[in-house]
Amino acid sequence: MERITVCSCGQLSVTITGKPGFVCACSCFECQKRTGSVFGMSSYWPKSSVVSITGEKRLYRRSSWVGRRIDNYFCPTCGSCVYWYAEWNPDSIGISVGNFADPNFEPPTQAVWCENKHPWVKFPDECEQLGGDE
């Protein structure tokens, strides 16, 4: 099954096939700033699942809390962060779940940086919740 994720203006897109390896909700402050929301919803796929990446993109490179690189790719027109490559997961591509615009997308199996989670945010009972040091 192919899925397409697009930025807000539709200019930058990723076509991917198969299912994500895992889906994660992250409450770290960097994901909160990246999304403008109280957590980021991430899906991770094998790089081999990418069918195509089309459109103009810009790179924002940052370090993680332990000094590993994360390369965020965003649309220069609308500013949506669509995908990224994280040094801690070199064989995967991370894709923002919200850019799929699919309310039936798989729920998170894991929530991380829960010590930064807003107290009113609730995740499914079967979602493993971890701190930032795990």
Side-chain angles (χ1 to χ4, degrees):
M1 165 174 69
E2 279 192 359
R3 296 183 187 186
I4 300 173
T5 182
V6 297
C7 64
S8 286
C9 71
Q11 187 276 133
L12 176 59
S13 69
V14 178
T15 301
I16 200 141
T17 187
K19 292 187 172 215
F22 68 97
V23 179
C24 180
C26 182
S27 294
C28 80
F29 293 134
E30 289 301 323
C31 280
Q32 289 185 34
K33 289 186 257 183
R34 176 181 60 81
T35 64
S37 185
V38 297
F39 59 88
M41 280 299 302
S42 305
S43 60
Y44 289 90
W45 308 73
K47 284 182 179 177
S48 60
S49 296
V50 176
V51 175
S52 65
I53 298 175
T54 60
E56 190 178 354
K57 61 192 169 287
R58 294 288 184 270
L59 167 65
Y60 169 64
R61 177 173 284 168
R62 70 173 183 83
S63 289
S64 71
W65 66 280
V66 294
R68 291 182 286 198
R69 186 183 73 246
I70 299 175
D71 290 345
N72 291 284
Y73 290 89
F74 64 95
C75 174
T77 302
C78 68
S80 295
C81 180
V82 178
Y83 67 99
W84 56 89
Y85 298 107
E87 190 175 8
W88 64 267
N89 196 1
D91 297 325
S92 294
I93 181 173
I95 300 178
S96 297
V97 171
N99 292 98
F100 285 101
D102 178 1
N104 295 313
F105 200 91
E106 292 89 337
T109 55
Q110 190 177 77
V112 296
W113 286 92
C114 290
E115 68 271 17
N116 298 335
K117 182 176 68 129
H118 291 235
W120 49 266
V121 171
K122 306 291 183 224
F123 294 113
D125 290 337
E126 59 276 3
C127 180
E128 179 182 24
Q129 296 187 43
L130 304 170
D133 58 349
E134 298 175 59

